[in-house]
Amino acid sequence: MSALEIAAAVRSGERAAVDVLDEHLARIGAGEDEIHAFNLVTADEARAQAEAVDAAVAAGDDPGPLAGVPLALKDNMCTRGIPTTCSSKILDGWHPPYDATVVTRLWEAGAVMVGKTNLDEFAMGSSTENSAFGPTRNPLDLSRVPGGSSGGSAASVAAGFASVAIGSDTGGSIRQPAAFCGVVGMKPTYGAVSRYGLIAFASSLDQIGPFAADVADAAAMFDVIAGHDPLDSTSIAEYRPAATASLGRGVSGLRVGVVRELCGGAGSMPGLSADVVARTDEAVDVLRGAGAIIEEVSVPSCTLGLSAYYLVAPAEASSNLARYDGVRYGLRVDAPTTGEMNTASRTAGFGPEVKRRIMLGTYALSAGYYDAFYGKALKVRTMMMREFAAAYDEVDVLITPTAPTTAFPLGERTADPMAMYVNDVCTIPSNLIGQPAISVPFGVGDDGLPVGVQVMAPALGDALTFQVGAVLEAAGGAR
């Protein structure tokens, strides 16, 4: 059953939320040892939530639009009294004293959290191999990665452990794992979903978004978590998107731009697999057949996005992660002086990828190099904003592959950070310019693994991404 079907059955009293939960916990018990989607399975808390939902139904109250829907939550969002680790040893054992706003809204909608999902440490990675607690495996092929950094969330939906999941997306960390695992993943407009309670990686890039098995479930999740939050100063005021209402509108007359640089055209980024480009071309044909007007557009700065991202994101990370000093949070390694204690705690608590990005970001921000590196990256970001704005003067949405390839084997790229970073080349632009994008599964590659197609839209065009995604799904994109 889809999440919406589960919610309808629970709200009507046809099914008990506790029974739905038991089915999903049984699947977790059968498959979690192989997949490792979770850092923590919250069976006791989930049962209490499911019982509360059933009690509300019995009392004649409406428990909410996600009543009894099993939910997996990325382990970088605060949950009061429940461990939140970011898959890092430096936060091991920390229990937040409050809930993230997204978490509060999901509880109020009746969702039931079955666990906190694995991720690349502090959301830094593209394969969920950088977790301090071990990698997650792709449920569709256990020898492959699920993508990252929200690989645990994507895997939990693909494996049937949860009906829906929540992830965070700093450079593609929802959309790329969604593509690798054959599910739907969406990054909202920056500020559309509150980041209060999300443990920061790169504050100007991070966004929270939904995973689901189909577009309708993802849209329902988005409608629950989106909207203004006074606790987040970057939250957009009075924004009330209606993603669910946009489904079924079709794409007749819609102008769809094919981004030349990310779709195998002239001047295209290297590394795009032919089978992935072929599925994207087929998706374009589907939209054309549904009445969309297709145009090729050029956004030349896309080719610079990867370099700009890997200066902006580490620079912000080096600042955000300075708070983990052995004094206020989690791990402390005792030493004779405060400075030595700070160094020993951070050395023991952070993994190699986090250390690499902190050093890169600190260097980019250092005196004498700021203008040469960080300053130039910001200029590229501004140039991308202008070029995308020009593109959206010509078209309503843009289409690209979500990732250059299908899911790659575990361990294949762990020794080559640059090869790993290239996985995000198609998704990074949306983060740098703060605009929404969705990944919808569309066919399979030569290896039989799913291919994701990305639909991008201008800021506040969140509902439009679901509208186009629904057309692609109806044409065969759904699992």
Side-chain angles (χ1 to χ4, degrees):
M1 297 177 73
S2 72
L4 288 174
E5 289 170 340
I6 289 173
V10 170
R11 294 169 88 180
S12 68
E14 178 185 343
R15 295 203 67 192
V18 169
D19 292 341
V20 174
L21 171 64
D22 285 341
E23 289 179 4
H24 285 77
L25 290 178
R27 289 182 197 143
I28 293 172
E32 171 62 4
D33 285 349
E34 287 188 319
I35 296 172
H36 188 210
F38 294 100
N39 285 339
L40 176 68
V41 176
T42 53
D44 292 340
E45 292 85 354
R47 188 164 301 283
Q49 290 177 329
E51 289 173 350
V53 168
D54 288 337
V57 173
D61 299 328
D62 185 354
L66 298 177
V69 173
L71 161 79
L73 187 72
K74 189 174 181 179
D75 196 18
N76 62 350
M77 290 168 223
C78 291
T79 44
R80 184 169 52 189
I82 298 173
T84 300
T85 70
C86 283
S87 289
S88 177
K89 292 179 182 176
I90 209 159
L91 275 176
D92 195 12
W94 181 59
H95 293 66
Y98 66 99
D99 285 325
T101 294
V102 164
V103 172
T104 301
R105 291 181 177 177
L106 289 165
W107 293 171
E108 292 173 351
V112 173
M113 185 180 77
V114 296
K116 304 288 291 286
T117 58
N118 198 15
L119 65 148
D120 286 303
E121 185 177 4
F122 280 99
M124 299 181 190
S126 302
S127 64
T128 313
E129 293 173 288
N130 293 326
S131 168
F133 309 125
T136 296
R137 295 178 179 273
N138 192 319
L140 306 180
D141 182 341
L142 295 176
S143 70
R144 306 280 179 140
V145 302
S149 64
S150 306
S153 292
S156 70
V157 175
F161 296 165
S163 289
V164 291
I166 291 290
S168 65
D169 191 317
T170 306
S173 290
I174 291 175
R175 291 159 286 158
Q176 185 250 22
F180 280 11
C181 292
V183 300
V184 176
M186 190 266 181
K187 185 203 85 72
T189 298
Y190 186 79
V193 175
S194 171
R195 292 183 297 110
Y196 178 76
L198 169 68
I199 296 177
F201 161 17
S203 303
S204 75
L205 303 167
D206 297 337
Q207 265 295 275
I208 296 172
F211 286 96
D214 61 45
V215 173
D217 283 355
M221 287 279 289
F222 177 72
D223 284 344
V224 166
I225 63 176
H228 180 248
D229 177 16
L231 298 175
D232 178 358
S233 62
T234 63
S235 176
I236 300 171
E238 299 180 1
Y239 182 47
R240 286 286 183 272
T244 301
S246 73
L247 305 179
R249 290 177 181 170
V251 295
S252 180
L254 202 70
R255 299 171 301 166
V256 176
V258 180
V259 182
R260 180 189 306 160
E261 290 81 4
L262 298 177
C263 292
S268 184
M269 289 290 292
L272 292 170
S273 293
D275 52 351
V276 172
V277 172
R279 295 296 89 74
T280 308
D281 290 342
E282 292 167 8
V284 171
D285 290 339
V286 164
L287 297 177
R288 183 185 288 111
I293 302 165
I294 308 297
E295 299 179 20
E296 183 178 91
V297 300
S298 177
V299 186
S301 59
C302 278
T303 59
L304 304 174
L306 196 66
S307 300
Y309 174 87
Y310 278 100
L311 287 168
V312 173
E316 295 186 14
S318 69
S319 176
N320 278 325
L321 271 60
R323 72 191 68 176
Y324 305 105
D325 55 7
V327 176
R328 290 162 290 188
Y329 303 94
L331 178 72
R332 172 186 294 182
V333 177
D334 290 330
T337 68
T338 301
E340 290 171 324
M341 181 273 290
N342 292 157
T343 300
S345 298
R346 290 168 68 81
T347 299
F350 289 137
E353 183 62 26
V354 173
K355 291 174 183 171
R356 181 182 296 118
R357 297 199 192 196
I358 288 175
M359 288 190 288
L360 178 61
T362 303
Y363 183 78
L365 291 175
S366 61
Y369 297 99
Y370 180 96
D371 290 336
F373 295 105
Y374 185 69
K376 276 191 177 178
L378 293 184
K379 289 178 181 177
V380 169
R381 190 176 191 178
T382 300
M383 183 167 62
M384 291 183 69
M385 292 176 179
R386 291 172 177 164
E387 290 186 4
F388 271 93
Y392 286 124
D393 284 339
E394 301 176 15
V395 298
D396 299 305
V397 297
L398 298 171
I399 192 165
T400 74
T402 303
T405 67
T406 57
F408 49 86
L410 282 155
E412 182 184 77
R413 303 183 186 185
T414 50
D416 186 348
M418 291 306 297
M420 188 71 79
Y421 296 165
V422 168
N423 281 285
D424 299 330
V425 67
C426 298
T427 50
I428 277 173
S430 290
N431 297 85
L432 285 171
I433 62 178
Q435 297 177 353
I438 193 171
S439 177
V440 178
F442 197 89
V444 297
D446 293 342
D447 52 11
L449 292 171
V451 171
V453 170
Q454 177 178 229
V455 180
M456 308 161 69
L460 308 183
D462 304 85
L464 195 54
T465 66
F466 288 102
Q467 178 182 334
V468 178
V471 173
L472 295 176
E473 181 180 78
R479 291 189 298 140

